[in-house]
Amino acid sequence: MGKVAVGAAIVCGATVCAAAALIVRHRMRSSGRWARAMAILTELEEKCGTPIGKLKQVGDAMTVEMHAGLASEGGSKLKMLISYVDNLPTGDEKGLFYALDLGGTNFRVLRVQLGGNDGRVVNQEFTEVSIPPHLMVGTSDALFDYIAAELAKFVATEGQGFHLSPGRQRELGFTFSFPVRQLTIASGTLIKWTKGFSIDDTVGQDVVAELTKAMERQGLDMRVAALVNDTIGTLAGGRYFNNDVIAAVILGTGTNAAYVERAHAIPKWHGLLPKSGEMVINMEWGNFRSSHLPVTEYDHALDVESLNPGEQIFEKIISGMYLGDIVRRVLCRMAEEAAFFGDTVPPKLRVPFILRSALDSLLKGMELEDLPICWVLFAVSQLIIMGYLGIASGMTPDMSAIHHDTTSDLRVVGNKLKDILGITNTSLKTRKVVVELCNIVATRGARLSAAGIFGILKKLGRDTVREGEKQRTVIAMDGGLFEHYTKFSECLESTLKELLGKEISESIVIEHSNDGSGIGAALLAASHSQYLDVESPESGQSD
């Protein structure tokens, strides 16, 4: 072989060796990165662990806090609010009743004709109305006049199939999903607005009185018979169709629970005991906290950057508003420390709730500094309400889709990562990790939700079998997270059975109660009607 050929061979061999070395280093680096990503996932799984012993501790803590909240105002992080609902629907209710459900940028108006035990719900109709943005930051009169005008329009369309007994006033159940200080079944003062509303002259006012005055200005003869929140509406709707319902839980964007308490077991109640001997308690359980809760550094970071730091800790680890953002935070750490999605971190992964990009989209390129602050606040509120807060309320359905992907190549996962986070060309191995991450976060949320329900059952003495008594207990559930995230709801139900044991769990039923905040409010108007003890001269029946 000539010198040139030998030299060429040497160069070629060196090139091959260098290339081989680069491949080896790349593989070693990739192996190291993968090991780091797996270490992050394993650490999360350990910190999110919910063994049955820990869940029982959480349930016990829930029971203790319930007792404390019932004993005195401010005695617990659980507010344990007295709802003044002392008569839940029985099925005997008859007549025409209305409901108004105000809890965001839309409100719903519903009417229902009740036919008693024989007919139950004879007929029902509803309409949904959007609230113009300027009314959310205007005056109290302007907002309630608009609502009353729309309510009057709906009443005017009352047709065949609906009948109001002569001489009677229409009655309304008012679902008002904002913080109120309630003093009677049909009155409550607004503590503060949320969800993008900012109307100073309503704060501290009785919202029922505000609505009543607006209805009078519209010439609408209607009485608010019950002021309730959506969780209590769900409880009422559940009880109407099933007398064994003793509690309701909402698991959606947010979360809450309400249950039926014995009136004499409420030390902070100072009035006359209700004839029914019962009182519905609005727990506001999203604010529950305990040292037994498995809270991670991702949860702490999310809390610090949230709109209400230090509050609603339970809600932030179990509800749809936050589950997806926990996933985003873990993926972001994997991207930063283990180059999980390549050498650069996808920009959207760095933004809490990917708020800015969604806001830009909502405002169609308008600059924030060009907008009045009230409009900025409104836009932000829309992100919260509409579910654009990144992999939070809006992305939890995508998290559910990822978790439920059964395709052989997990292409749904790949599409979601591409469409939502701009992450392309992911490997099957990477997609499997994302699915497992969703599983860890959702499983923790579902199992803790079950522990909370276990705490309620324990408070009511329904976690044991009473001698000679076969008690059936039904929990009415509602909310998009429970309804649409199948793996979440299935995990919740199986965990509750695990906590209760086979014998007791046979008597505990979780039942989906859809649209409780609508029909439930109308039913509460019926069960708290001013005509309860009055018989209709025409029919000889109570309407």
Side-chain angles (χ1 to χ4, degrees):
M1 183 182 293
K3 289 183 179 180
V4 174
V6 170
I10 291 171
V11 171
C12 184
T15 303
V16 170
C17 288
L22 281 172
I23 291 169
V24 169
R25 281 199 298 272
H26 174 73
R27 285 177 177 172
M28 288 177 65
R29 189 162 60 246
S30 296
S31 176
R33 288 173 172 179
W34 185 259
R36 178 60 191 140
M38 292 306 95
I40 291 170
L41 188 70
T42 301
E43 180 187 42
L44 176 75
E45 188 170 23
E46 290 171 356
K47 290 183 177 179
C48 286
T50 49
I52 206 68
K54 180 179 281 288
L55 291 179
K56 287 188 174 179
Q57 289 176 321
V58 171
D60 290 345
M62 181 71 78
T63 305
V64 168
E65 291 299 311
M66 290 172 74
H67 278 285
L70 290 173
S72 63
E73 295 296 344
S76 166
K77 280 287 184 180
L78 292 180
K79 291 187 173 66
M80 302 300 285
L81 301 174
I82 295 170
S83 69
Y84 297 90
V85 172
D86 55 0
N87 287 312
L88 284 167
T90 62
D92 294 330
E93 292 80 13
K94 296 177 183 177
L96 173 62
F97 296 92
Y98 278 77
L100 168 63
D101 186 357
L102 175 63
T105 54
N106 297 329
F107 64 89
R108 176 182 285 198
V109 185
L110 175 145
R111 59 173 152 250
V112 58
Q113 187 78 39
L114 303 175
N117 268 314
D118 295 333
R120 290 285 175 151
V121 177
V122 177
N123 204 0
Q124 64 175 309
E125 293 176 342
F126 75 91
T127 188
E128 196 158 313
V129 183
S130 294
I131 300 175
H134 70 277
L135 292 180
M136 296 171 65
V137 292
T139 66
S140 188
D141 282 356
L143 174 66
F144 283 100
D145 279 348
Y146 178 76
I147 293 169
E150 293 296 325
L151 181 56
K153 285 182 194 174
F154 185 66
V155 171
T157 65
E158 197 179 279
Q160 291 184 345
F162 297 94
H163 168 69
L164 183 70
S165 294
R168 295 202 176 176
Q169 187 180 29
R170 287 178 181 82
E171 293 182 292
L172 173 82
F174 186 13
T175 300
F176 186 75
S177 298
F178 300 91
V180 296
R181 184 170 290 106
Q182 200 153 346
L183 300 174
T184 69
I185 182 60
S187 67
T189 56
L190 177 65
I191 297 171
K192 63 177 180 178
W193 285 108
T194 57
K195 307 174 188 178
F197 286 79
S198 181
I199 305 172
D200 290 342
D201 61 341
T202 320
V203 176
Q205 298 301 310
D206 180 355
V207 293
V208 173
E210 293 294 293
L211 177 60
T212 300
K213 287 186 290 185
M215 290 191 294
E216 288 171 353
R217 289 193 291 268
Q218 291 293 328
L220 178 60
D221 185 22
M222 183 176 279
R223 168 185 175 265
V224 177
L227 174 67
V228 297
N229 75 1
D230 54 353
T231 315
I232 292 169
T234 299
L235 177 55
R239 173 65 72 91
Y240 181 74
F241 293 104
N242 190 330
N243 201 46
D244 293 324
V245 169
I246 54 91
V249 175
I250 302 285
L251 280 166
T253 303
T255 184
N256 194 14
Y259 75 103
V260 184
E261 183 59 272
R262 296 153 296 181
H264 63 77
I266 310 173
K268 68 182 181 182
W269 173 263
H270 300 302
L272 292 173
L273 291 179
K275 291 178 183 178
S276 66
E278 295 180 336
M279 179 63 68
V280 174
I281 298 295
N282 170 19
M283 292 176 62
E284 293 293 332
W285 85 346
N287 209 38
F288 169 70
R289 64 169 60 200
S290 163
S291 60
H292 300 297
L293 291 174
V295 180
T296 70
E297 64 265 38
Y298 308 103
D299 304 304
H300 286 302
L302 184 153
D303 177 49
V304 168
E305 294 168 17
S306 69
L307 297 173
N308 53 346
E311 300 295 322
Q312 301 295 105
I313 300 301
F314 195 50
E315 181 170 80
K316 286 170 183 171
I317 55 179
I318 73 170
S319 78
M321 178 78 181
Y322 304 98
L323 292 183
D325 200 59
I326 298 167
V327 169
R328 181 196 64 79
R329 288 168 187 275
V330 181
L331 289 176
C332 187
R333 185 178 174 195
M334 286 180 170
E336 290 171 342
E337 297 184 14
F340 191 61
F341 296 112
D343 292 332
T344 59
V345 178
K348 289 182 180 179
L349 265 183
R350 292 192 182 279
V351 186
F353 302 111
I354 54 172
L355 175 58
R356 177 67 195 228
S357 59
L359 186 61
D360 286 343
S361 173
L362 185 69
L363 298 176
K364 298 179 181 176
M366 296 170 69
E367 293 298 324
L368 290 181
E369 50 268 31
D370 294 339
L371 295 170
I373 186 63
C374 64
W375 279 93
V376 175
L377 290 172
F378 168 66
V380 172
S381 76
Q382 296 311 288
L383 299 178
I384 298 168
I385 295 161
M386 294 161 58
Y388 279 107
L389 284 189
I391 315 184
S393 58
M395 269 298 297
T396 297
D398 295 292
M399 175 181 165
S400 171
I402 288 170
H403 199 174
H404 292 139
D405 188 0
T406 57
T407 59
S408 59
D409 58 351
L410 295 178
R411 62 177 167 273
V412 174
V413 179
N415 289 337
K416 291 296 181 186
L417 292 173
K418 178 184 175 183
D419 295 343
I420 306 299
L421 294 171
I423 299 170
T424 58
N425 302 321
T426 52
S427 68
L428 179 59
K429 191 165 70 166
T430 298
R431 295 174 189 182
K432 285 180 177 178
V433 171
V434 175
V435 173
E436 180 55 28
L437 173 56
C438 291
N439 184 57
I440 291 168
V441 173
T443 297
R444 178 186 66 164
R447 286 175 69 81
L448 289 173
S449 302
I453 294 171
F454 177 70
I456 296 173
L457 294 172
K458 190 164 187 176
K459 169 68 179 71
L460 296 175
R462 292 181 180 240
D463 61 324
T464 58
V465 176
R466 298 177 185 178
E467 194 174 339
E469 187 178 339
K470 192 73 174 177
Q471 223 177 1
R472 189 170 183 270
T473 299
V474 179
I475 313 292
M477 301 283 295
D478 198 12
L481 183 62
F482 177 81
E483 184 179 357
H484 301 299
Y485 200 151
T486 307
K487 286 188 181 291
F488 187 100
S489 54
E490 287 176 348
C491 180
L492 185 157
E493 294 191 49
S494 64
T495 303
L496 190 57
K497 288 177 181 176
E498 192 180 350
L499 283 163
L500 292 166
K502 186 176 186 301
E503 186 181 7
I504 300 162
S505 63
E506 286 176 354
S507 64
I508 309 292
V509 179
I510 288 180
E511 204 169 78
H512 182 221
S513 178
N514 199 18
D515 189 31
S517 60
I519 194 167
L523 292 168
L524 284 166
S527 63
H528 291 80
S529 168
Q530 61 188 320
Y531 305 113
L532 275 182
D533 300 321
V534 180
E535 285 203 338
S536 166
E538 285 82 11
S539 62
Q541 295 174 327
S542 175
D543 278 351

